[in-house]
Structure formats: C-alpha cells, structure tokens
Amino acid sequence: MKVIETIKSIIKVITPIIGGKFIGKFAVKNARKDYKKNVKPPFSPPGRVFPIVWPILYITMGAAYALVTNKSDNKTLKGFYYTQLTLNYLWSILYFKYKLRFSALIESIVLLGTVVGTTVKFFSVKKIAGFLLLPYLLWSTFATYLTIGNWFLNKDTSSYTGKNGN
C-alpha cells in the first residue's frame, strides 16, 4: 500500500510541470519574441527568468497538493487546486496564443484570487503545504502586476493585441 501512495504522490508532484510543458509547447512558443517587443512596466524581469521560475513553482504546487491530499481527501481542496491550475494554464493561452490581453488581465485577477484561496485552504490542512504555495502566491501577485502594466502600456499597439492581422 505504501508503494501505491508514493506513486500517487509522485504523480501529484509532476502533473503541474507536465501540464506546464504542454502549455509551453502549445501556447507559449513565441512568448520570448513577443515579450521583447512590448513596453514593460518597472521591475519586469528578463524573459529568460520565466522558464526558470515556472518549473520550480509547478513542483512546489504539486508537492503542496500531494501533502494536503495525502492527509485529507477533501473535495474542496481538490476544487481549489484544480481551478487555480486550470486558470494558470488558461492565462498563457489567452495572453500568448490568442493575444486576448484584456481577457488575460481579468483572468489573472481571478487566478490570483483562487491562488489566495488555495493557499489559505492548504494552510488550514497542513501548514507546510501553505508555505510551499507562498512563492507561487507572491509570483502570481507579481504576474498580475505585470499583466496589468503590460496591458496599460501596450493596449493601443496592434502587435500587442493581435489586431490588424498581427
């Protein structure tokens, strides 16, 4: 029985990173080029930072999820977790694949709310799981700032919004 639980935990840890890799191939393939041409708000990191940060965040997300679901099979925890993970992936599709930048901005705010809710729920079940989500919560807050800043600085640029065939 211990082996099965270990395998389930490993799957829970790697699932977000596998999903992130898939989304990266599907939606974010031109992201660096796209990111370079935009006017960026203050404190925007260089594009090379994102592929370093996200795998770490995905692993900590998966580890936190494994910790709370190994202790409890609470459907509310699963609902919060999978909602934020789905919104996380959806943001890249909206922002990079379809250039629906304002939709991505609204979605980013909703995502941040679900990350806050997930973090609070995880803390209530297992404190270490909540702590594991804190970097993701901070990054999501920062990413929302970047999304809002990028939209305000670039919203009238056709290459940013994808209008006029770009």
Side-chain angles (χ1 to χ4, degrees):
M1 198 56 134
K2 201 80 158 146
V3 172
I4 292 171
E5 291 303 315
T6 301
I7 291 169
K8 285 181 180 180
S9 291
I10 291 169
I11 290 168
K12 289 174 185 176
V13 171
I14 65 171
T15 296
I17 200 163
I18 290 170
K21 282 282 202 191
F22 175 76
I23 292 298
K25 296 285 183 205
F26 171 71
V28 188
K29 57 184 163 190
N30 294 321
R32 283 192 192 186
K33 188 170 88 172
D34 194 30
Y35 184 74
K36 281 182 185 178
K37 8 182 216 190
N38 299 333
V39 178
K40 291 166 222 34
F43 310 110
S44 293
R48 67 182 177 278
V49 168
F50 297 96
I52 296 166
V53 169
W54 276 110
I56 295 166
L57 295 175
Y58 284 139
I59 289 169
T60 59
M61 263 188 254
Y65 180 64
L67 287 169
V68 296
T69 55
N70 287 345
K71 184 171 181 169
S72 168
D73 197 30
N74 185 323
K75 288 185 189 216
T76 303
L77 291 174
K78 289 180 180 180
F80 268 93
Y81 179 75
Y82 283 111
T83 298
Q84 67 78 27
L85 191 58
T86 301
L87 289 171
N88 180 300
Y89 296 151
L90 178 61
W91 183 90
S92 295
I93 295 167
L94 292 172
Y95 192 87
F96 290 114
K97 177 95 175 147
Y98 296 113
K99 293 190 178 190
L100 296 170
R101 310 304 178 131
F102 186 73
S103 296
L105 183 156
I106 299 302
E107 195 270 4
S108 182
I109 294 167
V110 174
L111 170 58
L112 179 58
T114 62
V115 173
V116 169
T118 303
T119 304
V120 168
K121 289 285 185 189
F122 280 28
F123 257 117
S124 71
V125 173
K126 192 159 186 135
K127 294 222 183 310
I128 189 70
F131 280 115
L132 282 170
L133 288 183
L134 286 179
Y136 177 45
L137 175 60
L138 293 172
W139 187 264
S140 295
T141 303
F142 182 57
T144 299
Y145 156 76
L146 292 175
T147 302
I148 293 167
N150 273 289
W151 186 79
F152 276 107
L153 293 170
N154 297 284
K155 66 184 176 185
D156 297 325
T157 307
S158 64
S159 64
Y160 181 75
T161 59
K163 293 177 184 168
N164 300 328
N166 292 325

